[in-house]
């Protein structure tokens, strides 16, 4: 079954088998790599174990048995715990291991992981993704990678099992920065599309007819193409969770403040998403933003 | 030379020969229609006159000699003057004439023009466009039309000389509302792209590499594709003027207030563009928004 380059036969470790992590780990397993798995909620790994993955009880144990370790967890504090916790990866990391954090997290945390790895004679790469659960399932994720270039290059055979558009962005943390740039654009397209649809409805336009008129021009965007039709159907099922987007925007705003720049548009969008979260929509899809706008307008 | 449908031989009137109006009027003239022209700055019409258009001294005179009258002027107050002024169109409008205002203006003004037209036994259509000077030159404009459906249909042979995506939106003012929806989306994509590029530069990413990584995914949009590369070159030449965009956003916000909805994202973008205008960039292209963000950040 196996596989490209100098990675043949390497044992891989995978931590975090949520909706995305589960699909991604499956791809590696199906390609024939020996896979060791740890995740907080063990039941979420059971199907991987049936496919041949081996369970371990802690990140430390996983690190002692793997050569390349992937992490795909939820929040920066989860990353922190998994790497630096008492039974974390760094407590038993082997020399020459490669750590690949695919969680979207702080660039500064990625840098700290990279430094700690070097101190232990290992290497770390930050490689957050975009493309959501569908991209994870279909192995069409975009991967934005930061770290040592030759290490990132050596991982390409694995990344290519997970995604299509794999771009090296620079040193440690650069993958995270690139992901922030991605999210900042999305925040803009999302507020534009949601405000536009709210205006369309209130002004008595037929929103479907409107979409037909504007999607091919300068207003054209992925969000208009893919999420506007869902909004018009009142479909707020998550492609990407509101609460994860709130996390990402929070990181971007923290970093912006640290770099001495202001992102007033992103701040405004973040405020609206916090409102949406307070309205109980943390687990809705990001397109639910229109509900925050509607509630704001009702309030007057 | 002429031409489709029941419009053959009709005399057309054209008011407003700025960058876009000039190109649009040329297309009609080249298709063989007799064309009467008026514009505030006569010299801007000279090339049309050489091509066979006939000059008149006032909108009133133009109205008395034309069956279908197009207007493409700058601001709502110009539209007001051209239609309702002392020597305006309505002072000498013929029965059964058709008025086509292609200026982006207030929906309420379009409705008033339509009512006044009906009172005189004539008809009016609002048909603002998107696609800028390039779209006007290449006859690839998107046209968003409001008014009586059969009248809009009857104009299709002429609209097809000017644009490609011609969509009927509903009664009087609907074309303007659709244009507002278009501009609201663009305001969002523009702030997203500009804030993202500012973040990219400050964080030490290579912005070109970043674009390659994010353009094909959920951040993909016309603005990222077409304007981001110009921003990275420091090219702020206008595809669309800042001052016209400020006008459009002002109309959208006025209408939103009238309809009782809030558009906080658009408000924020409008504030930034007003700042940009104060910085002397009224005649720059809309992508110059990044300069307002930079100046805001420098201010701290």
């Amino acid at each position: 079954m196996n596989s490209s380059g100098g990675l043949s036969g390497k044992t891989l470790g995978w931590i975090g088998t949520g909706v995305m992590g589960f699909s991604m780990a499956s791809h590696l397993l199906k390609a024939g790599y020996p896979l060791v798995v740890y995740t907080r909620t063990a039941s979420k790994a059971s199907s991987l174990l049936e496919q041949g993955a081996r369970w371990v009880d802690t990140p430390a144990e996983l690190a002692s048995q793997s050569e390349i370790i992937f992490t795909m967890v939820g929040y920066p504090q989860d990353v922190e715990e998994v790497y630096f916790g008492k039974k974390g990866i760094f407590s038993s990391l082997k020399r020459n291991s490669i750590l690949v954090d695919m969680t979207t997290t702080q660039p500064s945390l990625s840098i700290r992981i990279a430094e700690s790895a070097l101190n232990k004679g290992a290497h770390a790469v930050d490689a957050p993704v975009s493309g959501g659960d569908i991209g994870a399932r279909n192995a069409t994720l975009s991967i934005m990678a930061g770290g040592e270039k030759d290490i990132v290059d050596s991982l390409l055979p694995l990344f290519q099992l997970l995604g299509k558009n794999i771009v090296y962005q620079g040193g440690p943390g650069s993958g995270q920065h690139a992901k922030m740039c991605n999210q900042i654009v999305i925040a803009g397209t999302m507020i534009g599309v949601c405000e536009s649809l709210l205006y369309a409805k209130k002004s008595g336009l037929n929103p479907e007819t409107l979409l037909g008129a504007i999607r091919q021009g300068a207003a054209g965007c992925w969000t208009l193409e893919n999420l506007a039709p869902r909004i018009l159907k009142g479909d707020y099922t998550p492609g990407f969770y509101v609460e994860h987007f709130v996390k990402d925007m929070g990181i971007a705003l923290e970093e912006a403040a640290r770099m001495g720049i202001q992102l007033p548009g992103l701040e405004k969008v973040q405020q609206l998403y916090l409102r949406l979260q307070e309205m109980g929509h943390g687990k809705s899809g990001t397109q639910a933003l229109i509900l925050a706008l509607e509630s704001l307008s009702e309030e007057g």
Side-chain angles (χ1 to χ4, degrees), chain A:
Chain A
M1 287 282 288
N2 201 329
S3 178
S4 9
L7 300 174
S8 180
K10 296 251 186 201
T11 297
L12 311 184
W14 192 280
I15 296 177
T17 56
V19 182
M20 293 185 69
F22 169 78
S23 295
M24 294 160 80
S26 302
H27 295 313
L28 299 180
L29 200 52
K30 279 182 197 137
Y33 288 96
L35 192 74
V36 184
V37 175
Y38 168 79
T39 200
R40 201 159 47 190
T41 312
S43 62
K44 290 190 180 171
S46 58
S47 154
L48 287 173
L49 303 182
E50 283 160 25
Q51 291 170 59
R54 190 154 43 84
W55 176 260
V56 288
D57 285 324
T58 63
E61 209 178 322
L62 184 139
S64 70
Q65 298 179 28
S66 317
E67 286 147 295
I68 304 174
I69 300 166
F70 292 85
T71 50
M72 183 67 176
V73 297
Y75 291 86
Q77 60 267 35
D78 303 321
V79 175
E80 185 94 27
E81 175 69 21
V82 157
Y83 281 91
F84 298 103
K86 215 170 157 187
K87 296 179 179 173
I89 291 169
F90 281 120
S91 69
S92 63
L93 187 65
K94 298 194 290 183
R95 284 187 73 79
N96 299 319
S97 297
I98 301 176
L99 305 172
V100 187
D101 187 20
M102 304 192 80
T103 319
T104 296
T105 182
Q106 286 111 339
S108 57
L109 180 52
S110 296
I111 292 169
R112 193 145 61 86
I113 292 171
E115 286 168 354
S116 303
L118 277 182
N119 287 340
K120 303 235 171 203
H123 306 275
V125 165
D126 49 300
V129 303
S130 84
D133 48 344
I134 295 169
R137 202 157 53 235
N138 300 340
T140 55
L141 293 169
S142 289
I143 301 176
M144 292 154 266
E148 299 161 76
K149 176 126 185 27
D150 55 336
I151 300 293
V152 172
D153 286 346
S154 76
L155 293 168
L156 281 179
L158 299 174
F159 284 152
Q160 281 157 358
L161 295 170
L162 307 176
K164 288 207 175 239
N165 193 21
I166 300 143
V167 184
Y168 177 73
Q169 296 291 341
S174 300
Q176 300 296 350
H177 279 310
K179 177 70 186 280
M180 291 302 122
C181 290
N182 187 70
Q183 303 305 70
I184 294 168
V185 176
I186 290 174
T189 63
M190 198 71 75
I191 188 77
V193 167
C194 288
E195 290 191 351
S196 181
L197 292 181
L198 179 61
Y199 182 110
K201 287 189 202 177
K202 286 283 175 176
S203 66
L205 290 177
N206 177 324
E208 275 88 6
T209 307
L210 172 73
L211 289 184
I214 70 175
R215 68 204 282 183
Q216 294 164 7
C221 57
W222 187 96
T223 301
L224 198 65
E225 209 60 37
N226 292 278
L227 297 180
R230 289 204 209 171
I231 293 169
L232 295 181
K233 279 185 230 145
D235 172 6
Y236 304 117
T237 52
F240 186 58
Y241 286 136
V242 164
E243 62 188 20
H244 286 162
F245 198 37
V246 165
K247 170 194 79 164
D248 294 356
M249 288 186 287
I251 295 172
L253 289 169
E254 260 174 50
E255 288 293 317
R258 199 186 51 73
M259 298 187 289
I261 57 171
Q262 291 190 44
L263 305 176
L266 186 68
E267 274 170 35
K268 182 55 74 181
V269 176
Q270 162 84 327
Q271 282 168 23
L272 290 163
Y273 271 104
L274 288 171
R275 182 186 180 100
L276 185 61
Q277 211 173 17
E278 278 167 27
M279 288 165 64
H281 282 282
K283 301 275 186 202
S284 295
T286 47
Q287 72 274 21
L289 180 62
I290 194 166
L291 300 176
L293 293 168
E294 283 173 354
S295 95
L296 194 68
S297 294
E298 277 158 23
E299 200 171 79

